[in-house]
Amino acid sequence: MSSAPSLDVVPIIRSQLLEEFRNNKNKRYELKDILHHVVEFSGDQHGSRFIQQKLETANSDDKQMVFDEILPNCLQLMTDVFGNYVIQKLFEHGHQSQKTILARQMEGHVLSLSLQMYGCRVVQKALEHVLNDQQAMLIRELDGSVLKCVKDQNGNHVVQKAIERVPADHIQFIIDTFHGQVYNLATHPYGCRVIQRMFEHCLDTQICRLLDELHRGTNQLVHDQYGNYVIQHILEHGTVEDKEQIIGKVQGHVLQLSKHKFASNVVEKCVSFGGSQDRLTLIDEVLRTRSDGTYPLMTMMKDQYANYVVQKMLDVADGQQREVLVSKIKPYLPGLKKYTYGKHLISSKWQGRVELVYC
């Protein structure tokens, strides 16, 4: 029986200069010492690190030398595990003319670079350091593939960077692509990040329709493992009107939502970032006595998720409302020791305050 062919490991062939560089720790090398070997060094772990460090303080002649050697091979290096870092350093520390020429080499390749593990980092760096007209030219290449990028583990970072750094009028086509897609994106592991960046950086006139879409899906999004982060983001950074819309949908459901793994985070943010009247209403809801003499707070103190909402309420409540909260919690502190999650409330920093009020 014939055996399977052996897979020979292809040896890495290095120039004598690179071998000496890797093996000689005592000699102090400068960029001029690797003339005609810049590309080879850029593709080597140690050589790449050397060039990166030197570019940070290099003079104009040394930067030009590195640039001249890199340019014919720059596309290959942009997707290389070590070479991409050298390209990034040129975007950071090169002259503006060099950055412009480097970015021109990317034209026609922005989509493929954006979807590649290392290329996406170079595209992001380019968007940070080239001028506005070139930013617009590069990002326009994603038109027609925006959703593909948003849902890609590499491409989503490029779209986020574009939203953060490119002037609003140049990324309108990205915003237009999101119309009718907000719920789908907000519930996607990468899309939820992009949606958050959009609400952070885009103009109110650009996002008003998208916010309306978001509000229509709030009841579902608060329960979603990704969507809840988008709702939390609006509660932290949104307008008063947007916060009130979300809090209005939480009111009347505080107990149910507080016991949910993801929705409980939203309730905490409602308590933290709502207005004083909103906070009063939410806390009053869990203190309201039911027909059987119990109240929601009793259940929440023992729940694995809701106990954190109680802690947040103690954190933000003030005056008489806080005293009422404390008075309701204190009789149950000894009994909470029997519950795994009740212990969280006992051991939290708030127990000292609870006892302080009644000592």
Side-chain angles (χ1 to χ4, degrees), residues 51-317:
I51 296 174
Q52 291 172 59
Q53 291 171 344
K54 290 297 182 182
L55 281 175
E56 292 179 0
T57 56
N59 60 37
S60 295
D61 290 342
D62 283 345
K63 287 179 185 176
Q64 190 64 43
M65 184 267 287
V66 171
F67 175 79
D68 289 340
E69 291 194 34
I70 287 290
L71 189 60
N73 301 275
C74 64
L75 273 177
Q76 172 193 337
L77 290 172
M78 286 176 189
T79 58
D80 182 78
V81 60
F82 304 121
N84 80 90
Y85 293 108
V86 174
I87 304 293
Q88 288 188 61
K89 282 295 179 184
L90 281 171
F91 274 118
E92 285 183 41
H93 299 285
H95 303 304
Q96 196 62 52
S97 60
Q98 293 167 345
K99 299 175 188 182
T100 299
I101 295 169
L102 259 185
R104 277 197 203 123
Q105 310 308 304
M106 299 166 65
E107 292 176 13
H109 304 280
V110 176
L111 177 59
S112 59
L113 288 169
S114 297
L115 298 174
Q116 203 268 345
M117 183 184 300
Y118 308 114
C120 74
R121 302 174 187 178
V122 175
V123 178
Q124 290 174 72
K125 194 65 70 172
L127 291 175
E128 289 180 2
H129 293 281
V130 299
L131 302 178
N132 288 350
D133 287 348
Q134 204 164 25
Q135 281 182 326
M137 189 178 302
L138 292 176
I139 205 63
R140 193 77 203 184
E141 290 190 26
L142 301 187
D143 198 359
S145 302
V146 171
L147 292 179
K148 180 179 182 179
C149 288
V150 168
K151 295 184 177 182
D152 181 80
Q153 62 179 335
N154 304 310
N156 82 88
H157 295 289
V158 173
V159 179
Q160 287 187 65
K161 185 65 67 174
I163 291 170
E164 291 171 4
R165 302 300 289 260
V166 181
D169 54 332
H170 294 317
I171 58 166
Q172 184 61 48
F173 73 96
I174 294 179
I175 309 304
D176 292 342
T177 304
F178 293 163
H179 289 149
Q181 298 289 330
V182 172
Y183 182 84
N184 290 333
L185 294 177
T187 54
H188 188 275
Y190 308 135
C192 71
R193 302 175 191 169
V194 176
I195 291 293
Q196 289 176 65
R197 297 296 83 74
M198 179 190 67
F199 287 143
E200 271 179 15
H201 296 279
C202 292
L203 302 173
D204 291 345
T205 52
Q206 289 181 302
I207 61 174
C208 57
R209 281 177 56 195
L210 299 172
L211 270 170
D212 288 342
E213 275 188 55
L214 186 81
H215 285 306
R216 289 197 293 273
T218 294
N219 291 334
Q220 292 77 39
L221 290 172
V222 296
H223 291 92
D224 185 78
Q225 62 178 325
Y226 305 114
N228 81 91
Y229 289 111
V230 179
I231 300 298
Q232 287 187 64
H233 188 273
I234 300 300
L235 286 166
E236 287 192 50
H237 306 286
T239 65
V240 172
E241 292 77 11
D242 286 318
K243 293 180 184 183
E244 287 180 347
Q245 278 201 60
I246 293 170
I247 294 171
K249 292 178 180 177
V250 169
Q251 288 172 0
H253 308 282
V254 174
L255 174 60
Q256 173 196 351
L257 295 175
S258 296
K259 292 169 66 178
H260 189 276
K261 181 177 182 179
F262 305 120
S264 62
N265 298 316
V266 173
V267 181
E268 282 192 56
K269 286 295 192 298
C270 288
V271 171
S272 296
F273 294 96
S276 56
Q277 186 56 50
D278 295 322
R279 191 155 49 234
L280 189 69
T281 303
L282 293 172
I283 296 177
D284 282 349
E285 183 178 326
V286 306
L287 294 174
R288 198 172 299 135
T289 305
R290 295 179 286 210
S291 57
D292 61 359
T294 63
Y295 40 89
L297 185 70
M298 295 169 63
T299 304
M300 292 170 66
M301 288 188 289
K302 298 177 285 190
D303 185 81
Q304 61 178 324
Y305 304 119
N307 82 88
Y308 291 107
V309 176
V310 177
Q311 291 181 49
K312 185 59 67 177
M313 287 178 170
L314 278 167
D315 190 356
V316 301

Side-chain angles (χ1 to χ4, degrees), residues 300-350:
M300 292 170 66
M301 288 188 289
K302 298 177 285 190
D303 185 81
Q304 61 178 324
Y305 304 119
N307 82 88
Y308 291 107
V309 176
V310 177
Q311 291 181 49
K312 185 59 67 177
M313 287 178 170
L314 278 167
D315 190 356
V316 301
D318 51 22
Q320 183 181 4
Q321 191 177 49
R322 189 171 193 287
E323 290 183 15
V324 174
L325 260 178
V326 168
S327 68
K328 296 283 191 181
I329 293 172
K330 189 170 176 62
Y332 294 95
L333 284 177
L336 287 175
K337 294 175 183 176
K338 294 184 295 185
Y339 298 93
T340 302
Y341 304 107
K343 291 175 185 174
H344 291 173
L345 191 61
I346 297 171
S347 61
S348 77
K349 58 186 175 181
W350 302 110

